[in-house]
């Protein structure tokens, strides 16, 4: 009996020894090999989803969004060949059958079936459970305001790479960093909780534009386009002290959610890409130059009674003949004869110097793609007529941005200013960094000259001036009209039917809230800047001043309510 | 004799207790580990659900932004509700009497 017990005991012990031996083999001798195998089975590397940074206006209002979407692909290695179900999927997500069958025949191992479908469509695709069909999460950029500020914001392509506007210029800043992170999963592929971040965000951008002002500008521009049946129009509104762009609007425009459906002409940011002859708006250069060089006085009389002046063998005329005008009236009535006489005192070298001082012929350096420098000939290339043409804004090409930047010099007391559309960026953790610090530039003209020119420009919008339609209720406007013929390449000379009407100014004249230019290309019915562009300026300015809570300078006494401390009404001030 | 019997009983008791403790410890460890794994599964499911909800939230925020855009508000306020843009002629100033 005892021997049998021992025998059974030995058998059991041997069994346990075998188990322990095997465990020793697995857990000690082959430890590293099985740990690696387990890790391979258990741990998967997944791409970190990259989310593009946001774009905000100056008041923190979001202008874009990232919609959550998924892109459907076919992995031929895992595709079971069930084409019927595949075509069912194609119908469900609105994919062309011919396109799909073409892809299937192409022998590509991987191809996209459709990019960026909605979450509801993703759920339907997943329900079909087709082997070899996968879905990659991809965000789709959405421009929630439609065409509003489209020329500033720009747009991205299907791979979320910026192609125009701020999206392109600040593409690196907005794009987050990719990479991979590890997740643990079981034999069925179910994922365990992971502490690592599944997504990275790019930096967000804060613009200088104000959505409210942008909307006001765009609405008025639409009205103007309708009224004047113009080919195109542009408005640029800017803070003349800091160079912050408050609004840029161009017509024609486009919806950045569907940029391919519009023409390149609609997508062009004319404010920085289009060059035009500024006409009489260019006269501030001569006016400022002669005053700065002390070659003229504001009360000086200039004889414009000829109605025309001979320059380089050509006669340049005034639109309406004038008699003897003061310096201020030369600006107010926009006399070509008076301006050319003043320019002749400056001479071509000094005139060129002031043209360049005001920033013409050079890019402003705005942080938007596509800016051109305009066209300004150096004095060596001037013809005999140039000293007469250039002071009145011919033989020179400027962009709308350049002209409003030049007028900002007068508006801000004589300092050069650097226009920009981006204030700063915000990192993922919420830290704001300023990108464009508004610093005062060098002084270009003295305060004395600025004061005189400002008073002259104020006269332009008063009775007797060329822009009384730019007058704003309650605040004084300083500005200048411009009317220029367009050069017609097909006939090799200036057109008699196509003009550019413009108005540029700042309001309130003595402490400007903003400077603004309105340019209308090929208006029909009227051609003069004072009739076409000046009223647009007035309409925008009135709404903008109200929006910005800029008080009227001519406070009407009957509109003042007097209250006691605590807000109880005490009476109306008479 | 009695002390020998007591000693023997005590030794048996200790042996049984030790074996019981080992068995219970092993079971407890296994139970703990499987609870942790079970929690990891649940958290993984919740994490996935959170990701789905965050995506839905982002899409809704985008839709809300579109509805709250100035153009939409203008459309509703001016065209449907009869609001008007402030007129500079109708601005009143409130002055506190000192």
């Amino acid at each position: 009996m005892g021997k049998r017990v021992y025998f059974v005991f030995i058998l059991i012990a041997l069994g346990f020894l075998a188990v322990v031996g095997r465990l020793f083999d697995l857990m000690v001798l082959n430890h590293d090999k099985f740990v690696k195998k387990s890790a391979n089975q258990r741990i998967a590397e997944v791409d970190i989803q990259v989310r593009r940074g946001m774009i905000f206006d100056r008041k923190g209002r979001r202008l874009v969004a990232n919609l959550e979407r998924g892109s459907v692909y076919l992995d031929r290695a895992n595709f079971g060949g069930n084409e019927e179900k595949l075509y069912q999927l194609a119908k469900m997500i609105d994919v062309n059958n011919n396109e799909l069958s073409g892809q299937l025949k192409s022998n590509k191992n991987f191809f996209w079936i459709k990019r960026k479908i909605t979450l509801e469509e993703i759920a339907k695709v997943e329900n079909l459970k087709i082997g070899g069909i996968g879905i990659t999460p991809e965000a789709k950029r959405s421009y929630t305001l439609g065409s509003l500020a489209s020329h500033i914001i720009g747009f991205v392509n299907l791979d979320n790479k910026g192609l125009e506007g701020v999206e392109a210029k600040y593409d690196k800043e907005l794009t987050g960093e990719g990479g991979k992170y590890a997740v643990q999963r079981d034999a069925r592929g179910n994922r365990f909780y992971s502490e690592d971040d599944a997504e990275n965000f790019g930096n967000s951008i804060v613009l200088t534009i104000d959505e409210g002002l942008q909307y006001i500008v765009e609405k008025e521009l639409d009205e103007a386009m309708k009224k004047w049946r113009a080919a195109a129009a542009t408005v640029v509104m800017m803070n003349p002290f800091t160079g912050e762009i408050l609004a840029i609007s161009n017509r024609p425009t486009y919806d950045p959610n569907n940029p391919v459906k519009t023409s390149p002409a609609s997508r062009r940011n004319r404010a920085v890409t289009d060059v035009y002859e500024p006409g009489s708006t260019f006269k501030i250069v001569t006016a400022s130059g002669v005053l700065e060089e002390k070659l003229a006085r504001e009360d000086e009389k200039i004889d414009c009674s000829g109605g025309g002046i001979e320059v380089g063998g050509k006669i340049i005329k005034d639109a309406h003949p004038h008699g003897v005008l003061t310096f201020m009236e030369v600006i107010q009535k926009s006399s070509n004869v008076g301006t050319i006489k003043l320019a002749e005192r400056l001479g071509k070298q000094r005139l060129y110097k002031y043209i360049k001082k005001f920033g013409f012929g050079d890019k402003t350096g705005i942080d938007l793609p596509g800016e051109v420098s305009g066209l300004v000939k150096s004095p060596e290339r001037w013809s005999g007529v140039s000293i007469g043409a250039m002071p009145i804004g011919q033989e020179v090409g400027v962009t709308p941005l350049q002209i409003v930047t030049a007028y900002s010099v007068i508006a801000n007391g004589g300092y050069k200013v650097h226009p920009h559309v981006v204030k700063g960026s915000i990192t993922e953790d919420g830290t704001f960094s300023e990108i464009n610090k508004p610093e005062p530039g060098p002084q270009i003209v003295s305060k004395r000259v600025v004061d005189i020119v400002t008073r002259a420009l104020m006269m332009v919008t008063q009775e007797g001036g060329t822009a009384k339609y730019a007058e704003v209720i309650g605040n004084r406007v300083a500005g200048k009209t411009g009317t220029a013929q367009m050069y017609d390449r097909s006939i090799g000379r200036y057109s008699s039917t196509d003009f550019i009407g413009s108005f540029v100014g700042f309001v309130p004249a003595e402490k400007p809230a903003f400077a603004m230019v309105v340019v209308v290309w090929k208006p029909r019915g009227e051609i003069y800047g004072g009739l076409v562009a000046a009223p647009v300026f007035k309409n925008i300015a009135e709404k903008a001043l109200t929006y910005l809570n800029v008080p009227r300078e001519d406070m009407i006494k009957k509109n003042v309510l007097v209250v006691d401390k605590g807000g109880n009404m005490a009476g109306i001030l008479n | 004799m009695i002390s020998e019997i007591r000693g023997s009983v005590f030794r048996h008791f200790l042996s049984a207790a030790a074996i019981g403790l080992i068995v219970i410890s092993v079971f407890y460890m296994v139970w703990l580990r499987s609870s942790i794994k079970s929690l990891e599964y649940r958290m993984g499911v919740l994490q996935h659900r959170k990701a789905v909800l965050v995506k839905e939230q982002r899409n809704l925020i985008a839709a809300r932004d579109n509805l709250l855009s100035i153009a939409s508000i203008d459309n509703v306020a001016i065209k449907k509700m009869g609001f008007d843009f402030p007129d500079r002629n109708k601005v009143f100033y409130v002055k506190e009497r000192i």
Side-chain angles (χ1 to χ4, degrees):
Chain A
M1 190 66 174
K3 279 185 186 171
R4 273 188 222 163
V5 168
Y6 277 123
F7 181 67
V8 168
F9 180 75
I10 287 165
L11 273 177
I12 291 169
L14 280 172
F16 271 110
L17 262 171
V19 168
V20 168
R22 181 61 179 151
L23 282 171
F24 183 80
D25 174 51
L26 289 172
M27 294 188 332
V28 177
L29 298 178
N30 289 303
H31 173 262
D32 290 341
K33 176 182 144 194
F34 285 110
V35 159
K36 225 185 247 178
K37 197 172 180 183
S38 160
N40 282 342
Q41 286 173 338
R42 212 170 18 94
I43 297 171
E45 274 199 334
V46 179
D47 284 326
I48 293 174
Q49 289 178 42
V50 174
R51 292 284 174 267
R52 206 166 166 80
M54 290 292 117
I55 298 177
F56 300 98
D57 83 338
R58 64 187 296 112
K59 290 190 174 169
R61 289 177 282 215
R62 200 176 3 240
L63 303 177
V64 301
N66 290 324
L67 297 179
E68 298 299 330
R69 293 282 187 268
S71 293
V72 188
Y73 63 87
L74 184 135
D75 176 12
R76 206 183 282 275
N78 294 316
F79 180 54
N82 191 343
E83 287 191 18
E84 191 190 322
K85 255 194 165 174
L86 196 62
Y87 286 115
Q88 189 187 349
L89 179 150
K91 192 180 176 185
M92 201 185 292
I93 58 174
D94 195 27
V95 168
N96 186 282
N97 277 350
N98 292 334
E99 254 181 59
L100 185 58
S101 58
Q103 298 260 45
L104 278 170
K105 286 172 189 165
S106 72
N107 292 327
K108 280 188 211 165
N109 288 328
F110 171 97
F111 59 85
W112 295 109
I113 295 175
K114 191 167 182 182
R115 300 285 296 273
K116 303 191 180 181
I117 60 174
T118 63
L119 295 179
E120 294 77 23
E121 285 172 322
I122 289 170
K124 288 179 190 171
V125 169
E126 282 173 343
N127 281 341
L128 283 177
K129 290 188 177 32
I130 307 172
I133 296 295
I135 298 172
T136 299
E138 273 196 305
K140 182 182 174 180
R141 198 64 150 175
S142 169
Y143 301 96
T144 52
L145 306 180
S147 62
L148 196 83
S150 55
H151 292 101
I152 302 171
I153 299 171
F155 56 91
V156 299
N157 66 5
L158 206 53
D159 296 316
N160 285 337
K161 185 169 165 55
L163 294 181
E164 279 290 353
V166 166
E167 292 275 33
K169 196 77 179 178
Y170 289 89
D171 188 49
K172 214 173 167 182
E173 192 88 28
L174 288 163
T175 307
E177 266 180 42
K180 289 186 187 290
Y181 71 104
V183 288
Q184 289 198 53
R185 57 183 184 183
D186 65 9
R188 289 187 180 177
N190 297 317
R191 280 192 205 174
F192 294 111
Y193 171 76
S194 167
E195 278 179 11
D196 290 324
D197 281 333
E199 49 187 16
N200 275 348
F201 288 88
N203 291 342
S204 296
I205 294 289
V206 180
L207 301 181
T208 57
I209 66 157
D210 184 312
E211 188 193 340
L213 291 174
Q214 183 73 32
Y215 180 71
I216 290 168
V217 164
E218 300 228 10
K219 210 172 164 189
E220 291 303 324
L221 209 56
D222 282 332
E223 293 295 323
M225 285 289 286
K226 222 188 298 184
K227 184 174 180 181
W228 301 115
R229 289 169 286 130
T234 293
V235 170
V236 181
M237 186 192 277
M238 187 164 111
N239 181 322
F241 297 93
T242 61
E244 289 175 335
I245 299 291
L246 300 172
I248 291 181
S249 181
N250 298 290
R251 290 294 180 271
T253 187
Y254 70 101
D255 183 353
N257 291 302
N258 282 305
V260 292
K261 291 187 178 171
T262 52
S263 66
S266 303
R267 299 198 294 266
R268 202 164 80 228
N269 187 356
R270 290 164 194 273
V272 302
T273 62
D274 279 27
V275 167
Y276 70 103
E277 284 187 329
S280 300
T281 57
F282 204 68
K283 286 172 180 167
I284 57 153
V285 175
T286 303
S288 304
V290 290
L291 288 170
E292 190 72 15
E293 300 290 324
K294 296 186 170 75
L295 296 170
R297 298 184 322 274
E298 62 176 296
D299 57 349
E300 185 182 331
K301 289 189 169 43
I302 298 158
D303 185 6
C304 306
S305 53
I309 182 169
E310 195 206 331
V311 185
K314 290 198 172 157
I315 307 284
I316 297 176
K317 294 181 183 172
D318 275 333
H320 311 282
H322 302 292
V324 173
L325 300 173
T326 64
F327 173 88
M328 305 290 267
E329 285 171 334
V330 165
I331 306 297
Q332 182 192 26
K333 296 182 189 302
S334 201
S335 165
N336 292 336
V337 173
T339 307
I340 292 168
K341 284 189 171 181
L342 290 168
E344 282 173 340
R345 292 185 202 181
L346 258 184
K348 63 179 185 182
Q349 294 295 338
R350 280 188 293 195
L351 177 60
Y352 180 75
K353 180 180 93 175
Y354 280 95
I355 291 173
K356 296 296 278 183
K357 265 191 164 189
F358 272 94
F360 298 110
D362 294 314
K363 292 183 187 180
T364 63
I366 191 169
D367 45 354
L368 285 171
E371 189 188 15
V372 298
S373 55
L375 300 161
V376 172
K377 292 187 295 193
S378 57
E380 301 76 48
R381 292 171 53 212
W382 289 20
S383 65
V385 182
S386 299
I387 191 66
M390 292 185 89
I392 61 171
Q394 291 181 355
E395 285 192 21
V396 62
V398 306
T399 63
L401 180 66
Q402 282 176 330
I403 203 82
V404 73
T405 305
Y407 272 73
S408 294
V409 171
I410 304 297
N412 69 22
Y415 296 88
K416 191 152 189 173
V417 70
H418 164 62
H420 52 279
V421 292
V422 168
K423 245 174 140 61
S425 67
I426 305 175
T427 57
E428 201 178 336
D429 61 4
T431 310
F432 175 79
S433 316
E434 212 164 8
I435 291 177
N436 289 300
K437 273 196 183 123
E439 280 164 4
Q443 188 157 25
I444 294 169
V445 285
S446 63
K447 189 76 175 60
R448 175 188 70 88
V449 167
V450 160
D451 288 343
I452 297 169
V453 171
T454 301
R455 275 186 275 117
L457 292 174
M458 280 161 64
M459 288 169 65
V460 172
T461 60
Q462 290 160 7
E463 199 60 45
T466 58
K468 53 186 181 35
Y469 293 120
E471 200 183 357
V472 159
I473 300 169
N475 296 95
R476 283 172 295 181
V477 176
K480 190 76 189 74
T481 53
T483 307
Q485 285 171 285
M486 288 184 72
Y487 188 79
D488 190 339
R489 281 202 188 122
S490 62
I491 56 174
R493 58 171 203 272
Y494 284 106
S495 167
S496 56
T497 54
D498 294 340
F499 290 78
I500 298 172
S502 62
F503 181 84
V504 55
F506 46 92
V507 59
E510 267 137 29
K511 198 182 173 193
F514 53 83
M516 182 165 58
V517 63
V518 179
V519 182
V520 182
W521 277 271
K522 297 189 194 174
R524 295 289 177 251
E526 289 292 349
I527 59 166
Y528 294 103
L531 296 174
V532 169
V536 182
F537 181 99
K538 171 199 162 74
N539 293 340
I540 294 172
E542 281 178 351
K543 292 194 165 83
L545 290 169
T546 306
Y547 175 84
L548 292 169
N549 283 329
V550 175
R552 290 173 60 146
E553 289 164 311
D554 63 343
M555 195 163 65
I556 303 168
K557 283 197 173 157
K558 68 177 178 171
N559 283 7
V560 180
L561 294 171
V562 181
V563 299
D564 287 333
K565 243 188 164 84
N568 298 316
M569 195 174 114
I572 295 173
L573 191 71
N574 286 312
Chain B
M1 178 88 165
I2 293 169
S3 62
E4 277 174 15
I5 292 165
R6 274 191 195 147
S8 169
V9 166
F10 186 67
R11 276 197 298 277
H12 282 116
F13 173 74
L14 273 179
S15 308
I19 290 163
L21 195 66
I22 289 165
V23 169
I24 289 167
S25 302
V26 166
F27 273 111
Y28 183 71
M29 270 180 355
V30 168
W31 177 80
L32 204 61
R33 215 176 138 74
S34 72
S35 297
I36 290 169
K37 272 292 163 219
S38 177
L39 268 172
E40 283 185 1
Y41 268 113
R42 271 191 69 196
M43 282 167 71
V45 166
L46 287 170
Q47 193 176 34
H48 175 72
R49 212 172 142 225
K50 180 189 165 192
V52 168
L53 288 170
V54 163
K55 287 182 182 181
E56 275 181 41
Q57 183 199 38
R58 285 179 188 159
N59 288 349
L60 287 169
I61 287 172
R64 184 197 65 182
D65 284 348
N66 184 254
L67 289 169
L68 289 177
S69 70
I70 285 179
S72 300
I73 291 171
D74 184 38
N75 203 32
V76 170
I78 292 179
K79 291 176 187 163
K80 292 179 184 169
M81 294 177 70
F83 281 76
D84 202 359
F85 207 87
D87 183 344
R88 281 174 79 68
N89 275 323
K90 297 174 185 169
V91 172
F92 283 81
Y93 296 89
V94 179
K95 191 174 174 171
E96 196 177 56
R97 186 166 66 178
I98 299 163

